[in-house]
Amino acid sequence: MISARMMLSALACSSAALLAGGAMAEPVEKWCEGVRIAAFPGGPQGGVFANNVYNGFRQAELDLGADVTYYFSNWDPNLMLQQIQQAVATGVDGIATYGFAGEDATGPIVQQAYEQGIIFTTLNTSLRDSQAAYGPNGFGYVGAPNYDAGYALGAEAAARAEVSEGDKVFVWGLRSQGGDRGQRTVGVIDAFEAAGLEVIYQEIDAATNANPNAGTATFVGLMGANPDVKIVVTDHGGLTSNVGVYADAAGLEPGDVYFAGFDMSPNTAQAVQEGYQNLVIDQQPYLQGYLPILNICLTEKYGFSGLDINTAGAFVDATNVDAVAPLAAVEIR
């Protein structure tokens, strides 16, 4: 298999020849045809967020002509790690996956992949040490800078909800998850504590991580024990999509509690329109699927270095949800 370094050398020679002859490259359809890629949507097949990533993967596969195999992991970092190892063993040309398992567990597999000539790149959750080592060889990142995104959501929610020092807020997140993913929850908590708020924290358990409905009793119990909670943050796209269910089960009306969370979905758009969900930071997961496939194709075919793209640049609320809702309905936004 031709390495990225060899490809760059060959391209330099060919570019010089093109310039000398005055030739111009012509656009090519399906220019990534024949490149085999293992892609990881993250959650269960058809699940919230995972489906947006999957839709991005599939569109890139269609546009570029790559041969893509999909691995669904039920948001389980250990299962995902096993599947990544399986993908490396198959000798694909590239792997696009999350960094959920963290650097210590995933870094050796990244090294093995590059030693075998496999391009490895990440989405949603970064592996910054691996990216620093292999960025010139195609290792990129498409997603949010997770701590910063968490802090931004917490700070924005505190400002908009007009809370006072000492007020209670509930953060339902994944602080204990390894690596960069847990830092998003840490960012939310840090923002609230900087605003002088009392944080009640609940780790999302494995059952709720895989199926948000499994967390309904947890939410009802916590809110019953803390009826003075002013803000609830759901640090998980699936849980954010279920806010209407949680609120109804807890006997909450729109406006009783300020709900903030991550990621658009059809249910989340509806909850914003109905007044249950107040603020959403949109990571644009469709791009987290599409762009890593493009990244791998650009590196494999042309020797480009890895992309590094922040997809979480906007909030969705009642003022702009109507523009986003039709795209959320077809799981593009």
Side-chain angles (χ1 to χ4, degrees):
M1 183 177 294
I2 297 174
S3 70
R5 188 176 291 109
M6 293 172 63
M7 181 70 75
L8 283 169
S9 177
L11 283 169
C13 294
S14 62
S15 296
L18 284 171
L19 288 171
M24 297 292 290
E26 291 294 330
V28 178
E29 292 186 0
K30 308 291 185 183
W31 54 270
C32 196
E33 196 168 17
V35 175
R36 297 183 302 120
I37 299 173
F40 290 72
Q45 190 162 5
V48 171
F49 192 92
N51 226 34
N52 297 62
V53 175
Y54 177 59
N55 287 341
F57 281 149
R58 290 176 61 227
Q59 188 62 55
E61 179 183 14
L62 178 66
D63 290 349
L64 305 176
D67 179 9
V68 183
T69 300
Y70 299 99
Y71 293 81
F72 293 90
S73 311
N74 294 320
W75 302 124
D76 182 339
N78 292 322
L79 174 59
M80 186 176 290
L81 202 62
Q82 294 170 13
Q83 292 171 329
I84 294 169
Q85 292 170 320
Q86 292 169 11
V88 170
T90 66
V92 292
D93 298 304
I95 295 171
T97 189
Y98 298 69
F100 283 163
E103 194 71 63
D104 289 345
T106 316
I109 305 175
V110 174
Q111 181 179 351
Q112 180 187 353
Y114 276 98
E115 287 173 351
Q116 293 180 206
I118 298 170
I119 301 157
F120 198 110
T121 194
T122 47
L123 58 121
N124 182 265
T125 305
S126 66
L127 296 168
R128 289 299 180 185
D129 290 347
S130 291
Q131 187 175 352
Y134 297 104
N137 303 99
F139 194 117
Y141 176 63
V142 178
N146 279 317
Y147 178 86
D148 292 347
Y151 197 98
L153 182 69
E156 189 74 13
R160 294 192 185 200
E162 298 181 349
V163 288
S164 301
E165 187 172 351
D167 282 346
K168 289 182 180 179
V169 294
F170 168 34
V171 178
W172 204 357
L174 291 166
R175 184 173 59 184
S176 298
Q177 195 163 101
D180 183 51
R181 176 58 184 89
Q183 288 302 300
R184 193 170 80 183
T185 300
V186 173
V188 175
I189 293 170
D190 283 356
F192 283 149
E193 290 182 343
L197 304 176
E198 180 184 342
V199 177
I200 300 168
Y201 179 71
Q202 177 68 46
E203 186 78 7
I204 299 170
D205 60 33
T208 305
N209 198 17
N211 177 10
N213 285 320
T216 303
T218 298
F219 180 83
V220 171
L222 192 142
M223 294 301 292
N226 299 277
D228 51 348
V229 161
K230 303 294 186 182
I231 302 174
V232 173
V233 170
T234 47
D235 185 11
H236 187 295
L239 273 65
T240 302
S241 76
N242 226 39
V243 157
V245 173
Y246 298 145
D248 184 63
L252 298 174
E253 297 292 333
D256 285 348
V257 174
Y258 192 95
F259 281 94
F262 288 85
D263 310 323
M264 290 303 299
S265 69
N267 286 346
T268 298
Q270 181 179 343
V272 174
Q273 290 170 326
E274 292 175 347
Y276 285 106
Q277 185 74 39
N278 302 98
L279 184 66
V280 182
I281 192 167
D282 183 11
Q283 292 189 89
Q284 303 179 111
Y286 183 92
L287 294 179
Q288 295 181 17
Y290 194 100
L291 294 176
I293 301 297
L294 177 62
N295 183 146
I296 291 169
C297 289
L298 288 169
T299 301
E300 178 68 16
K301 289 293 188 178
Y302 305 136
F304 283 115
S305 58
L307 305 177
D308 194 330
I309 297 173
N310 177 5
T311 63
F315 291 111
V316 177
D317 59 19
T319 68
N320 59 9
V321 68
D322 289 344
V324 178
L327 294 170
V330 292
E331 296 176 304
I332 291 177
R333 289 291 296 274

